[in-house]
């Protein structure tokens, strides 16, 4: 009965292999420190995907929305702002009167105090002037060229190197578990569409952003849309849930934003008010050594997180690695 | 060498089985008449999905957009119009002055001539009055209740029975081939979201429609959006490509509309102008016996189809069966 013993041995080996494979299942979030934040994320994902479990959520309701600036990549400075500034400088050469008119004067002079007082509408005006008067195709080409050419003023690396590695892992982990990952950014929809697929694997139809009035026009005999210098929706604060409603039609099961201007509180609240389970993640920029440290003067986002029981990410404690491109990290540390 | 002969026999049987399976692959469009229209659809889908073929289109670009009324279900009468009328009648009981004001007077009196002259803006005003002042949840409940209760005035069946069986097969066939199927309707986004998933398997985030201004409000302590009586976008004609750009960000690879008011010409043109392959399907309502026969006074859609080389569906010739629910068919024939 040699063959029978061999067969048993073979089955035993198979079982051993299967067990080893199960145990060797790789850590889905290797750049996250083992601890309560990482555990809370994994616990939530396991609960809502457990077929037959009390918190199971069907795949079509697994909507995850991510803010972009300060959530998926660094926002010191805001990259689209640097793009707008480059375009504004070029426009000011053609039309020097821009140097005397606000908010363009402040933008050209780097007057941050003006913008912090004037609020998002002033930023929107700069965006409108620098983003309008082009077809979508021309805009996409201009944005892509900027991203290839531009370097971070302090770090000297391309902005695309400043994507957060732990967030790339979180995006992939959620998608592996049947989640749709969406971008919901205060940046313009078209700028975000240029980066969303190559940087985050998020397709154009899952990008929600600030939008301009669009006017149908013709270019090379084809219908195109020209941006008018008027904001149709400034996708910040209360507008985020509203535009999520328009483009998704469901409350996010998983929503991620960051501490900076309170811009994500409404989106995370909207998610938290979902019937049934939901998860809110708020990123706190508390790592001056590896990235940047900044707070809100009124602490609104952290207060909302405490009140709502949201999970707060301390970049310092919860992330073992910050940037997707290791070069960016060492440059950051050298630049100190 | 028995075992060798047996092995050959076994392989032969396997091959036979494989061939039989390949031959027995079921017709993906069984309700479509074998002929040039069906062949053109299948040929296109096979070309763009053939890995390594000259017309291959990556799965993330396989966007299909469908008009709703007259394309996926019958539009005689327009179902959302009947819903609006029911609500308008209820409002006229509360506020009798509506009976004297246009366009409400015309709607209450069934004055079709008024609407054909006043154009889509008049319809929009009726929609605005009857769809506004509710939260999204309340609206969805009201629409779902209407669809359960209401019956087609001539056929006596629920409106949901008047979905076209050949189009259900086309939706499923495209999805099996990696296409995203989107609804792009002149109807309101919220009404379409109520029917899209149960009738067509289209999730809420893939519904593009007419939208009202939304105002954040609270209901039971949660953020909700109330519709204001102002149209934000009337998703018809030129607005269809524009809203496809906003919600999808790509030109449709496959676009389907119907002859009625020229409302789909811009969407099909936008698709036809895609770089690389694309397919446009235009449904001609020429079957008075099984459905309804109607034309455009200026023949604009059929002229555009001829000029653009779009594929025209003759419901009479190309569809062996019209309605998804057989009951509707026999009732239609009895009602003559």
């Amino acid at each position: 009965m040699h063959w029978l013993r061999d067969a048993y041995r073979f089955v035993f080996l198979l079982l051993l292999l299967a067990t080893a494979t199960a145990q060797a299942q790789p850590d889905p979030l290797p750049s996250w420190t083992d601890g309560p934040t990482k555990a809370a994320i994994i616990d939530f994902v396991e609960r809502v995907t457990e077929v037959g479990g009390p918190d199971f959520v069907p795949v079509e309701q697994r909507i995850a929305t991510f803010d972009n600036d300060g959530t998926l990549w660094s926002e010191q400075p805001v990259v689209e702002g640097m793009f707008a500034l480059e375009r504004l400088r070029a426009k000011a050469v053609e039309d020097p009167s821009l140097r005397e008119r606000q908010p363009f004067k402040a933008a050209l002079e780097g007057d941050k105090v003006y913008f912090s007082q004037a609020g998002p509408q002033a930023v929107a005006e700069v965006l409108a002037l620098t983003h309008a008067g082009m077809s979508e195709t021309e805009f996409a080409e201009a944005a892509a060229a900027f991203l290839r050419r531009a370097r971070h003023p302090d770090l000297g690396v391309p902005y695309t190197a400043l994507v957060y590695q732990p967030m790339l892992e979180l995006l992939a982990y959620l998608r592996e578990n049947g989640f749709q990952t969406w971008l919901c950014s205060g940046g313009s929809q078209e700028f975000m569409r240029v980066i969303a697929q190559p940087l985050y694997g998020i397709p154009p139809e899952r990008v929600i952003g600030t939008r301009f009035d669009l006017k149908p026009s013709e270019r090379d005999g084809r219908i195109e849309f020209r941006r008018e210098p008027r904001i149709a929706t400034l996708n910040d604060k209360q507008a985020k849930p509203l535009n999520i409603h328009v483009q998704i039609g469901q409350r996010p099961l998983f929503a991620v934003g960051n501490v900076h201007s309170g811009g994500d509180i409404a989106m995370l609240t909207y998610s938290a008010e979902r019937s049934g389970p939901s998860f809110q993640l708020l990123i706190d920029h508390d790592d001056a050594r590896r990235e940047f440290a900044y707070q809100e003067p009124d602490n609104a986002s952290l207060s909302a997180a405490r009140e709502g029981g949201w999970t707060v990410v301390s970049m310092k404690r919860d992330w073992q690695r910050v940037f997707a491109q290791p070069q960016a990290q060492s440059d950051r540390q050298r630049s100190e």
Side-chain angles (χ1 to χ4, degrees), chain A residues 262-305:
Chain A
D264 295 320
I265 297 174
M267 175 168 77
L268 271 60
T269 304
Y270 187 58
S271 165
E273 288 170 357
R274 180 181 184 278
S275 313
S278 68
F279 193 88
Q280 294 74 42
L281 198 65
L282 183 75
I283 293 164
D284 191 17
H285 291 264
D286 60 356
D287 192 335
R289 195 178 61 82
R290 296 186 302 172
E291 204 236 8
F292 302 96
Y294 47 97
Q295 295 88 36
E296 290 167 5
D298 59 359
N299 239 8
S301 296
L302 286 171
S303 305

Coordinates of all heavy atoms in Angstrom, one line a residue, chain A residues 262-305:
Chain A
G262 N -10.7 72.6 8.2 CA -12.1 72.1 8.5 C -12.8 71.7 7.2 O -14.0 71.5 7.3
G263 N -12.1 71.6 6.1 CA -12.8 71.4 4.8 C -13.4 70.0 4.7 O -14.3 69.8 3.8
D264 N -13.0 69.1 5.5 CA -13.6 67.7 5.4 C -14.6 67.3 6.4 O -15.1 66.2 6.4 CB -12.4 66.7 5.4 CG -11.5 66.8 4.2 OD1 -12.1 67.1 3.1 OD2 -10.3 66.7 4.3
I265 N -14.9 68.2 7.4 CA -15.8 67.9 8.5 C -17.1 67.5 7.9 O -17.7 66.5 8.4 CB -15.9 69.1 9.5 CG1 -14.5 69.4 10.1 CG2 -16.9 68.8 10.5 CD1 -14.5 70.6 11.0
A266 N -17.7 68.3 7.0 CA -19.0 68.0 6.5 C -19.0 66.6 5.8 O -20.0 65.8 6.0 CB -19.5 69.1 5.5
M267 N -18.0 66.3 5.0 CA -18.0 65.0 4.3 C -17.9 63.8 5.3 O -18.6 62.8 5.2 CB -16.8 64.9 3.4 CG -16.6 63.5 2.7 SD -15.4 63.5 1.4 CE -13.8 63.5 2.3
L268 N -17.1 64.0 6.4 CA -17.0 62.9 7.4 C -18.3 62.8 8.2 O -18.7 61.7 8.5 CB -15.7 63.1 8.3 CG -14.5 62.4 7.7 CD1 -14.1 63.0 6.3 CD2 -13.3 62.5 8.7
T269 N -18.9 63.9 8.5 CA -20.2 63.9 9.2 C -21.2 63.2 8.4 O -22.0 62.4 8.9 CB -20.6 65.3 9.5 OG1 -19.6 66.0 10.2 CG2 -21.9 65.4 10.3
Y270 N -21.3 63.5 7.1 CA -22.2 62.9 6.2 C -22.1 61.4 6.1 O -23.0 60.7 6.1 CB -22.0 63.5 4.8 CG -23.0 63.2 3.7 CD1 -24.4 63.4 3.8 CD2 -22.6 62.6 2.5 CE1 -25.3 63.1 2.8 CE2 -23.5 62.3 1.5 CZ -24.8 62.6 1.7 OH -25.7 62.2 0.7
S271 N -20.8 61.0 6.1 CA -20.5 59.5 6.2 C -21.0 58.9 7.5 O -21.6 57.9 7.6 CB -19.1 59.3 6.0 OG -18.7 58.0 6.3
A272 N -20.7 59.6 8.6 CA -21.0 59.1 10.0 C -22.5 59.0 10.2 O -22.9 58.2 10.9 CB -20.4 60.0 11.0
E273 N -23.3 59.8 9.4 CA -24.7 59.8 9.6 C -25.4 58.7 8.7 O -26.6 58.6 8.7 CB -25.3 61.1 9.2 CG -25.0 62.2 10.2 CD -25.4 63.6 9.7 OE1 -25.8 63.7 8.6 OE2 -25.3 64.5 10.5
R274 N -24.6 57.9 8.0 CA -25.1 56.8 7.2 C -25.8 55.8 8.2 O -25.4 55.6 9.3 CB -23.9 56.1 6.6 CG -24.2 54.9 5.8 CD -23.0 54.2 5.2 NE -23.4 53.1 4.3 CZ -23.8 51.9 4.7 NH1 -23.7 51.6 6.0 NH2 -24.2 51.0 3.9
S275 N -26.9 55.3 7.7 CA -27.6 54.2 8.5 C -26.7 53.0 8.4 O -26.3 52.6 7.3 CB -29.0 53.9 7.9 OG -29.7 55.0 7.6
G276 N -26.5 52.4 9.5 CA -25.6 51.2 9.5 C -24.2 51.6 9.8 O -23.9 52.7 10.1
P277 N -23.2 50.6 9.6 CA -21.8 50.9 9.9 C -21.2 52.0 9.0 O -21.7 52.2 7.9 CB -21.1 49.6 9.7 CG -22.0 48.8 8.9 CD -23.4 49.2 9.1
S278 N -20.2 52.6 9.5 CA -19.4 53.6 8.7 C -18.1 53.9 9.4 O -18.0 53.6 10.6 CB -20.2 54.9 8.4 OG -20.3 55.6 9.6
F279 N -17.2 54.4 8.7 CA -15.8 54.7 9.3 C -15.3 56.0 8.8 O -15.4 56.3 7.6 CB -14.9 53.5 8.8 CG -13.6 53.5 9.6 CD1 -13.5 52.8 10.8 CD2 -12.5 54.2 9.2 CE1 -12.3 52.7 11.5 CE2 -11.3 54.1 9.9 CZ -11.2 53.4 11.0
Q280 N -14.8 56.8 9.7 CA -14.2 58.1 9.4 C -12.8 58.2 9.8 O -12.5 57.8 11.0 CB -15.1 59.2 10.0 CG -16.5 59.3 9.5 CD -17.4 58.2 10.0 OE1 -17.3 57.9 11.2 NE2 -18.2 57.6 9.1
L281 N -11.9 58.6 8.9 CA -10.5 58.7 9.2 C -10.1 60.2 9.0 O -10.4 60.7 7.9 CB -9.8 57.8 8.3 CG -8.4 57.3 8.6 CD1 -8.3 56.5 9.9 CD2 -7.8 56.5 7.5
L282 N -9.4 60.7 10.0 CA -8.9 62.1 9.9 C -7.4 62.1 10.1 O -6.9 61.7 11.1 CB -9.6 62.9 11.0 CG -9.3 64.4 10.9 CD1 -10.0 65.1 9.8 CD2 -9.7 65.1 12.3
I283 N -6.7 62.7 9.1 CA -5.3 62.7 9.2 C -4.8 64.0 9.9 O -5.1 65.1 9.4 CB -4.7 62.5 7.8 CG1 -5.0 61.1 7.3 CG2 -3.1 62.7 7.8 CD1 -4.8 60.9 5.9
D284 N -4.0 63.8 10.9 CA -3.4 64.9 11.7 C -1.9 65.1 11.3 O -1.1 64.2 11.4 CB -3.5 64.6 13.2 CG -3.2 65.8 14.0 OD1 -3.3 67.0 13.5 OD2 -3.0 65.7 15.2
H285 N -1.6 66.3 10.8 CA -0.2 66.5 10.3 C 0.6 67.0 11.5 O 0.7 68.2 11.8 CB -0.2 67.6 9.2 CG -0.9 67.1 7.9 ND1 -0.1 66.6 6.9 CD2 -2.1 67.0 7.6 CE1 -0.9 66.2 5.9 NE2 -2.2 66.4 6.3
D286 N 1.2 66.0 12.2 CA 1.9 66.3 13.4 C 3.4 65.8 13.3 O 4.0 65.5 14.3 CB 1.2 65.6 14.6 CG 1.2 64.0 14.4 OD1 1.6 63.5 13.4 OD2 0.7 63.4 15.3
D287 N 3.8 65.7 12.1 CA 5.2 65.2 11.9 C 6.1 66.2 11.2 O 6.3 66.1 10.0 CB 5.1 63.9 11.1 CG 6.4 63.1 11.1 OD1 7.4 63.7 11.3 OD2 6.3 61.8 11.0
A288 N 6.6 67.1 12.0 CA 7.5 68.2 11.4 C 8.8 67.6 10.9 O 9.3 68.2 9.9 CB 7.8 69.2 12.5
R289 N 9.2 66.5 11.4 CA 10.5 66.0 11.0 C 10.4 65.3 9.6 O 11.1 65.7 8.7 CB 11.0 65.0 12.0 CG 12.5 64.6 11.8 CD 12.9 63.6 12.9 NE 12.2 62.3 12.8 CZ 12.5 61.3 12.0 NH1 13.5 61.5 11.1 NH2 11.8 60.2 11.9
R290 N 9.4 64.5 9.4 CA 9.3 63.7 8.2 C 8.4 64.4 7.1 O 8.5 64.2 5.9 CB 8.8 62.3 8.4 CG 9.8 61.5 9.2 CD 9.3 60.0 9.3 NE 7.9 59.9 9.9 CZ 7.3 58.8 9.9 NH1 7.7 57.7 9.4 NH2 6.1 58.8 10.5
E291 N 7.4 65.2 7.6 CA 6.5 65.9 6.6 C 6.4 67.4 7.1 O 7.4 68.1 7.1 CB 5.2 65.2 6.5 CG 4.5 65.6 5.1 CD 3.1 66.1 5.3 OE1 2.7 66.4 6.4 OE2 2.5 66.3 4.2
F292 N 5.2 67.8 7.6 CA 5.0 69.1 8.1 C 4.1 69.0 9.3 O 3.3 68.1 9.3 CB 4.4 70.0 7.0 CG 5.2 70.1 5.7 CD1 4.9 69.2 4.6 CD2 6.2 71.0 5.6 CE1 5.6 69.3 3.5 CE2 7.0 71.0 4.4 CZ 6.7 70.2 3.4
A293 N 4.2 70.0 10.2 CA 3.3 70.0 11.3 C 2.4 71.3 11.2 O 3.0 72.4 11.1 CB 4.0 69.9 12.6
Y294 N 1.1 71.1 11.2 CA 0.2 72.3 11.3 C -1.1 71.9 11.9 O -1.5 70.8 11.9 CB 0.1 72.9 9.9 CG -0.3 71.9 8.7 CD1 -1.6 71.7 8.3 CD2 0.7 71.2 8.1 CE1 -1.9 70.8 7.3 CE2 0.4 70.4 7.0 CZ -0.9 70.2 6.6 OH -1.2 69.3 5.6
Q295 N -1.7 73.0 12.5 CA -3.0 72.8 13.2 C -4.0 73.8 12.6 O -3.7 74.7 11.9 CB -2.9 73.0 14.7 CG -2.0 72.0 15.4 CD -0.5 72.4 15.4 OE1 -0.2 73.6 15.5 NE2 0.4 71.4 15.3
E296 N -5.3 73.6 13.0 CA -6.3 74.6 12.8 C -6.4 75.5 14.0 O -6.3 75.0 15.1 CB -7.7 73.9 12.6 CG -7.7 73.1 11.3 CD -8.9 72.1 11.2 OE1 -9.8 72.2 12.1 OE2 -9.0 71.4 10.2
P297 N -6.5 76.8 13.7 CA -6.6 77.7 14.9 C -7.7 77.4 15.8 O -7.6 77.4 17.0 CB -6.9 79.1 14.2 CG -6.7 78.9 12.7 CD -6.6 77.5 12.4
D298 N -8.9 76.9 15.3 CA -10.0 76.6 16.1 C -10.1 75.1 16.5 O -11.0 74.7 17.2 CB -11.3 77.1 15.5 CG -11.5 76.4 14.1 OD1 -10.6 75.6 13.7 OD2 -12.5 76.7 13.5
N299 N -9.2 74.3 15.9 CA -9.2 72.9 16.2 C -10.5 72.2 15.8 O -10.8 71.1 16.4 CB -9.0 72.7 17.7 CG -7.7 71.8 18.0 OD1 -7.0 71.6 17.0 ND2 -7.5 71.5 19.2
A300 N -11.2 72.7 14.8 CA -12.5 72.2 14.5 C -12.5 70.8 14.1 O -13.4 70.0 14.5 CB -13.2 73.1 13.4
S301 N -11.6 70.4 13.2 CA -11.6 69.0 12.7 C -11.4 68.0 13.8 O -12.1 67.0 14.0 CB -10.6 68.8 11.6 OG -10.9 69.6 10.5
L302 N -10.4 68.3 14.7 CA -10.1 67.3 15.8 C -11.2 67.3 16.8 O -11.5 66.2 17.4 CB -8.8 67.7 16.5 CG -7.5 67.4 15.6 CD1 -6.2 68.0 16.3 CD2 -7.3 65.8 15.5
S303 N -11.9 68.4 17.0 CA -13.0 68.4 17.9 C -14.1 67.6 17.4 O -14.8 66.8 18.1 CB -13.5 69.9 18.2 OG -12.5 70.7 18.6
A304 N -14.4 67.8 16.1 CA -15.5 67.0 15.4 C -15.1 65.5 15.5 O -16.0 64.6 15.7 CB -15.6 67.4 14.0
A305 N -13.9 65.2 15.3 CA -13.4 63.8 15.4 C -13.7 63.2 16.8 O -14.2 62.1 17.0 CB -12.0 63.6 15.0

